[in-house]
Amino acid sequence: MSITYNEMMGTIRMVQLENLDIRTVTMGISLKNCADSDFSKMNQRIYNKITTHAQHLKKTAEEVEKEYGIPIINKRISITPIAEILGDATKEQAIEIAKTLDNAAKELGIDFIGGFSALVHKGMTKADQTLIEAIPESLSVTERVCASVSIGTTKSGINMDAVRKMGEVIKEAAERTKNQNGLACAKLVVFCNPVEDNPFMAGAFHGTGEGEVVLNVGVSGPGVVLNALKRHPEADLGEVSEVIKKTAFKITRAGEFIGRVVAKRLGVPFGIMDLSLAPTNAMNDSVAEILEEMGLERVGTHGTIAALALMNDAVKKGGTMASSYVGGLSGAFIPVSEDNGMIRGVVDNALSFSKLEAMTCVCSVGLDMIAVPGDVPATTISAIIADEAAIGMINKKTTAVRIIPVPGKSEGDMIEFGGLLGRAPVMAVNGYGSEKFIRRGGRIPAPIQALTN
């Protein structure tokens, strides 16, 4: 892959002035051959395989970052969903594996490792149940381990027994880390239609259709898109779409180039390029501010969903023109705690929980990094998960929930998580209960859209 002089100069401008960065290089590693009936052997194999394949990941990424002048913010690992190799291991042994993953990440200097996961959209095996039971403690005793659970797909419907269980798991995880404002929940995602090559945390895992090892790249450029739009204040919406599309093309080109360099030096295949407009708390690095630049007085007002749909579509069009290997989630993230514009929208009462839920119909993922009062019942959290899964199932798209019931906190409180996770205002949820609906259990059948053969 070659890059022209003009592209290079444009990239330098985007890095220096517009917050362009490679958000993550994520090495996917298959752990299938680590399974063993002898738990000690399996645990050691997991550690050895991860530390062997990824031993040069951090160093190589830093060398490329320095050489080309494009920041690579996170170095991460995704692994085979642990439930798939857990076998007859106990809950205590599953927690021990989580500690092993954490130790491997620390040894390698990796920011996060994702894949303490289970895929239970149609049913649960004994190993799945064991892993899910182990999630609250595992995330509370580790720093860098991330977990995810798939509870629904368009093809299978929604496993409401798993949905009910995940509400309870999230509540327990929050309580176990109450001195950190429920921080364990920030490392846990509940999915509908998850993808196997997502490089972004907390939902990354190395899917069963993936190879032995691969390098996936995630680029983020809200600041670049925002600055591009600022240069066209009088453009109509068709022209706005064109500006975003062309900008996304440039971002994708830069990201794939860096990803391929890192992969080549590591001697592993390049996987996919995930172009997701993932915001940070940095000034002007906000998805909400892009929507406001289009003409919304404040994100959350009428027109927000239309503006988000336009942006998401233009990002995808630009990305797919720039690369034949666009994958992952690729679009726009709307995490509340990581986006200053979203936070401002909530504080100003322009952006409600219901509006966020509606926005997930057209964004890349779903309800992300949302703080709610600590006394919200587990069944209400389960119902929120069910609603979001239904949006994904019917629309044949990935949706997810990363929600934090903050112990001891109430609507209007501002919670500090620190670092990339930022801060979040505690948002109100509907006070009417959903307990009877959730306790019915069973499975919501797959929709008619699933019958595509």
Side-chain angles (χ1 to χ4, degrees):
M1 179 182 181
S2 62
I3 189 164
T4 68
Y5 175 78
N6 287 339
E7 285 180 302
M8 181 174 66
M9 296 307 295
T11 300
I12 291 171
R13 186 192 72 248
M14 290 189 291
V15 170
Q16 292 181 342
L17 302 177
E18 300 169 353
N19 296 314
L20 174 67
D21 59 53
I22 310 297
R23 184 57 52 85
T24 179
V25 289
T26 301
M27 179 177 284
I29 302 173
S30 172
L31 299 184
K32 292 177 184 178
N33 63 350
C34 295
D36 198 298
S37 58
D38 185 322
F39 175 77
S40 296
K41 288 182 180 179
M42 177 170 67
N43 200 31
Q44 190 61 49
R45 284 178 179 175
I46 290 171
Y47 182 86
N48 291 345
K49 188 163 188 182
I50 292 171
T51 53
T52 298
H53 278 298
Q55 60 180 317
H56 301 304
L57 176 59
K58 184 174 186 289
K59 179 182 176 183
T60 302
E62 289 175 345
E63 288 173 351
V64 172
E65 174 183 29
K66 184 177 181 181
E67 184 174 339
Y68 289 94
I70 299 179
I72 301 175
I73 305 303
N74 288 285
K75 296 81 181 174
R76 298 167 173 170
I77 294 170
S78 62
I79 55 174
T80 302
I82 289 296
E84 295 186 4
I85 64 170
L86 203 56
D88 292 325
T90 65
K91 174 183 173 181
E92 290 69 29
Q93 289 172 326
I95 294 167
E96 192 62 33
I97 288 177
K99 293 177 181 178
T100 297
L101 297 176
D102 203 44
N103 289 335
K106 290 176 182 177
E107 171 69 21
L108 296 167
I110 297 301
D111 297 286
F112 290 106
I113 183 166
F116 196 76
S117 306
L119 311 181
V120 298
H121 34 260
K122 201 169 185 180
M124 278 191 272
T125 66
K126 178 180 178 293
D128 293 326
Q129 292 173 338
T130 299
L131 183 125
I132 290 172
E133 289 285 350
I135 285 175
E137 184 172 348
S138 295
L139 297 185
S140 66
V141 299
T142 59
E143 296 177 12
R144 309 183 191 202
V145 174
C146 293
S148 60
V149 177
S150 169
I151 49 78
T153 68
T154 298
K155 287 289 188 181
S156 66
I158 302 172
N159 183 344
M160 290 301 292
D161 294 322
V163 168
R164 173 182 173 182
K165 181 63 180 177
M166 289 313 299
E168 297 167 357
V169 165
I170 289 169
K171 285 285 287 186
E172 183 183 344
E175 188 60 32
R176 283 181 176 272
T177 51
K178 61 183 178 182
N179 294 332
Q180 299 171 283
N181 291 322
L183 186 62
C185 298
K187 300 184 289 178
L188 172 60
V189 178
V190 185
F191 272 119
C192 178
N193 290 326
V195 296
E196 297 186 335
D197 54 7
N198 168 26
F200 285 97
M201 299 296 167
F205 62 86
H206 190 69
T208 55
E210 298 289 310
E212 189 71 15
V213 61
V214 68
L215 190 83
N216 297 320
V217 179
V219 171
S220 177
V224 182
V225 173
L226 179 61
N227 276 279
L229 288 181
K230 285 180 181 294
R231 294 193 290 271
H232 298 82
E234 302 302 323
D236 68 29
L237 292 177
E239 292 166 338
V240 165
S241 176
E242 191 69 13
V243 169
I244 296 173
K245 185 173 70 174
K246 290 178 178 179
T247 306
F249 180 92
K250 295 175 184 178
I251 296 169
T252 305
R253 288 274 290 174
E256 181 168 340
F257 176 78
I258 294 298
R260 286 188 178 277
V261 171
V262 175
K264 183 177 180 180
R265 294 186 184 182
L266 289 170
V268 304
F270 175 79
I272 59 92
M273 175 69 221
D274 186 324
L275 175 64
S276 288
L277 295 185
T280 69
N281 288 126
M283 186 177 296
N284 297 324
D285 198 31
S286 162
V287 168
E289 289 177 18
I290 295 173
L291 305 181
E292 291 171 356
E293 184 63 29
M294 290 186 201
L296 304 178
E297 184 177 1
R298 183 70 78 240
V299 67
T301 190
H302 305 295
T304 295
I305 295 172
L308 181 59
L310 182 156
M311 181 179 69
N312 212 46
D313 176 67
V315 166
K316 291 177 185 291
K317 286 174 178 173
T320 53
M321 287 297 291
S323 171
S324 296
Y325 296 98
V326 171
L329 299 166
S330 288
F333 288 5
I334 52 171
V336 173
S337 78
E338 300 168 13
D339 188 311
N340 285 325
M342 294 289 178
I343 294 169
R344 188 168 56 248
V346 174
V347 172
D348 291 348
N349 295 316
L351 184 60
S352 66
F353 197 99
S354 295
K355 190 70 171 187
L356 275 168
E357 198 168 58
M359 290 166 68
T360 64
C361 296
V362 297
C363 77
S364 283
V365 191
L367 297 171
D368 195 14
M369 285 303 294
I370 296 174
V372 297
D375 60 0
V376 170
T379 49
T380 296
I381 293 174
S382 294
I384 290 169
I385 293 170
D387 279 346
E388 198 60 32
I391 290 172
M393 177 183 70
I394 296 297
N395 291 289
K396 296 183 283 188
K397 69 184 290 292
T398 302
T399 51
V401 173
R402 184 161 53 147
I403 191 169
I404 306 165
V406 186
K409 301 298 181 181
S410 304
E411 178 189 353
D413 291 340
M414 185 66 74
I415 308 303
E416 295 287 344
F417 296 113
L420 189 65
L421 299 176
R423 60 194 176 94
V426 177
M427 299 184 70
V429 300
N430 195 306
Y432 289 93
S434 312
E435 183 174 354
K436 185 176 180 181
F437 174 71
I438 293 300
R439 295 199 180 281
R440 284 180 180 272
R443 185 153 58 96
I444 294 178
I448 192 69
Q449 293 97 312
L451 301 179
T452 56
N453 291 328

